[in-house]
Amino acid sequence: MSNRDKLVIFDTTLRDGEQSPGATMSVKEKIELALLLEQLNVDVIEAGFAMASEGDFKAVSEVGKVIKNTRVCCLARAKERDIDAAVAALLPAPLKRLHTFIATSDIHMKYKLNMTRNTVLETAVQSVRYARRFVDDVEFSVEDGGRSDPDFLAQVIERVISAGARTINIPDTVGYCVPHSFGQFIGSIIEKVSNADQAIFSVHCHNDLGLATANSLAAIEHGARQVECTINGLGERAGNAALEEIVMAVNTRQDLFPFDIAVDPQHLVALSKKVSQVTGFAVQPNKAIVGRNAFAHEAGIHQDGILKHRETYEIMRAEDVGWYGQQIVLGKHSGRNAFATRMRLLGYEFDSHQQLDQAFAQFKQQADRGERLDDVFLTSLGDALRVPMARV
Ligand code: KIV
Ligand code: ZN
């Protein structure tokens, strides 16, 4: 067994991701995505916020019925009735986590909660104690942690760990933090908390300043061992840290982040496409890792370098994250079956012979013109013809 630290990947595409305006997911879609997330091998799937709606309750419960090997998590405010709903929704899940939270920044406590520091502290402790009566794995979040007073934060965290929280999540709820100081902030909190060794510290960064991934990585450097993130960086407002960016940054820069990650990156592209299809949110072509241009080289100097020695311009291999261009090489003479198979590997499943014929004809025309038949072309063809995404 490795004695390196493990980095826990907590996916919240189905909860915070779904909070993106316009990204509502049906129960069926959440189940399909959860199965893909299980295949990706994330450590935790946050499936919803049971108290928020009947649909969310059902989603958590149905996801808990089909997911066998991954921990399923449900969010709850620090209130008994929220925790009761989360406990009930999690009943079918063989591996479960209850995630409860309360805001700790002065601005949230004063204007949103209308509560004193002391009341927030006692509410946090009571909620964790209450949740632990039903679930062993309890995570506690200090909402707006990034703007909270560090001494108060340390006090709350110490008390909730004593009450039984096993993961402590410090969110940058409003995406206000910047990497250098956020990393130091997380490190200083861990140092201040006398029982810090009894919990895993986590971060949950929003992307309002485009810094969610950078902030998460800075926190890992200072002791965080769980990152909350979403596929394609989906999430409230400007979104969350993108799972694919965190995973590939850690995999690619093992010299800086020597941690074990369970995630299998080969499924990243297919999941990204599925999330995009379910939400209707297109992935920008130049999006890191999963954008269709992420591995496409246009400049002559770059192409020349790549042909001479791949690593001149590539820091990752496209096929390692699920782009299949290198594995089934298509050409002018390729048949319909090879074409359909490669499209399937890219996540596209033709729903009729007619649709396949139409796509194949366009593929042949491209081949006859001697133009490129790579993943960039194939995904634009699949998207243009609205070919459905493959099911699990
Ligand atoms: O952004 C946030 O603070 C959250 C918490 C509920 C974890 O989503
Ligand atoms: Zn959030």
Side-chain angles (χ1 to χ4, degrees):
M1 224 184 74
S2 155
N3 57 6
R4 289 154 31 109
D5 277 5
K6 177 178 164 96
L7 182 67
V8 176
I9 300 294
F10 177 115
D11 179 274
T12 183
T13 309
L14 307 185
R15 198 279 298 169
D16 208 314
E18 201 209 10
Q19 284 174 220
S20 282
T24 309
M25 301 168 194
S26 68
V27 173
K28 188 166 155 276
E29 287 165 341
K30 281 200 178 186
I31 292 172
E32 284 176 12
L33 284 173
L35 288 165
L36 287 169
L37 287 165
E38 186 179 43
Q39 193 178 48
L40 181 69
N41 215 16
V42 299
D43 299 286
V44 184
I45 298 172
E46 187 165 54
F49 184 174
M51 191 66 193
S53 71
E54 260 177 50
D56 249 34
F57 183 97
K58 185 144 192 264
V60 176
S61 170
E62 295 299 316
V63 166
K65 285 181 193 161
V66 298
I67 298 301
K68 303 282 177 253
N69 302 312
T70 306
R71 202 163 281 280
V72 174
C73 177
C74 181
L75 186 68
R77 285 170 302 181
K79 293 176 188 282
E80 287 195 4
R81 61 174 194 279
D82 273 41
I83 294 171
D84 289 339
V87 169
L90 284 170
L91 262 184
L95 296 166
K96 54 189 110 211
R97 172 176 296 186
L98 194 146
H99 177 189
T100 185
F101 71 98
I102 194 164
T104 49
S105 64
D106 288 336
I107 188 166
H108 276 229
M109 290 188 291
K110 180 170 176 197
Y111 293 105
K112 188 182 81 171
L113 299 175
N114 195 18
M115 282 165 104
T116 62
R117 284 189 175 192
N118 213 29
T119 321
V120 165
L121 174 64
E122 291 313 323
T123 307
V125 172
Q126 292 309 327
S127 312
V128 170
R129 250 189 224 134
Y130 185 68
R132 276 300 307 265
R133 281 165 52 184
F134 311 102
V135 181
D136 285 339
D137 185 343
V138 171
E139 169 170 333
F140 183 76
S141 280
V142 284
E143 192 191 7
D144 204 18
R147 291 193 300 171
S148 299
D149 170 57
D151 289 324
F152 177 56
L153 212 51
Q155 196 188 357
V156 173
I157 291 171
E158 201 163 288
R159 292 278 309 278
V160 294
I161 293 176
S162 299
R166 289 293 160 259
T167 302
I168 299 297
N169 183 41
I170 305 179
D172 177 17
T173 303
V174 291
Y176 174 75
C177 298
V178 293
H180 184 65
S181 63
F182 187 63
Q184 286 183 341
F185 177 72
I186 297 298
S188 75
I189 301 289
I190 297 175
E191 246 169 52
K192 280 182 207 280
V193 172
S194 66
N195 50 3
D197 58 322
Q198 292 167 35
I200 289 179
F201 280 74
S202 164
V203 288
H204 171 117
C205 298
H206 278 274
N207 205 30
D208 300 67
L209 294 173
L211 295 171
T213 297
N215 283 337
S216 307
L217 294 173
I220 296 169
E221 281 186 301
H222 286 85
R225 291 295 175 266
Q226 173 178 288
V227 176
E228 301 197 354
C229 43
T230 57
I231 300 291
N232 297 343
L234 199 67
E236 189 81 50
R237 304 182 312 280
N240 290 74
L243 181 148
E244 62 276 10
E245 293 174 10
I246 301 285
V247 166
M248 290 317 291
V250 171
N251 281 351
T252 306
R253 296 306 307 269
Q254 281 279 302
D255 54 330
L256 298 176
F257 308 109
F259 307 118
D260 288 329
I261 297 194
V263 166
D264 177 356
Q266 295 246 355
H267 301 289
L268 288 172
V269 168
L271 242 159
S272 160
K273 287 180 182 305
K274 182 75 185 173
V275 167
S276 167
Q277 197 198 38
V278 162
T279 57
F281 288 16
V283 176
Q284 72 192 62
N286 58 327
K287 167 78 187 66
I289 323 292
V290 293
R292 66 168 191 268
N293 285 352
F295 293 88
H297 300 274
E298 189 71 39
I301 295 174
H302 290 207
Q303 289 173 343
D304 182 54
I306 290 276
L307 291 171
K308 286 179 173 145
H309 186 78
R310 193 172 173 164
E311 281 82 25
T312 50
Y313 285 98
E314 270 188 15
I315 59 163
M316 298 169 272
R317 297 186 328 157
E319 57 271 34
D320 290 347
V321 300
W323 294 107
Y324 282 92
Q326 312 295 319
Q327 297 184 15
I328 297 180
V329 178
L330 293 177
K332 204 173 153 141
H333 304 291
S334 302
R336 194 178 302 261
N337 189 14
F339 171 71
T341 305
R342 172 104 164 256
M343 289 297 278
R344 186 160 215 289
L345 286 170
L346 287 169
Y348 297 96
E349 182 81 80
F350 294 100
D351 62 359
S352 67
H353 285 298
Q354 219 178 3
Q355 195 179 42
L356 171 58
D357 288 347
Q358 195 189 357
F360 190 59
Q362 289 193 26
F363 162 76
K364 281 289 185 185
Q365 283 165 13
Q366 175 93 345
D368 283 339
R369 285 193 296 265
E371 287 173 17
R372 64 192 204 185
L373 299 170
D374 56 9
D375 288 341
V376 178
F377 165 68
L378 295 171
T379 48
S380 56
L381 182 62
D383 291 342
L385 295 178
R386 300 189 163 277
V387 180
M389 301 307 293
R391 286 179 187 282
V392 193

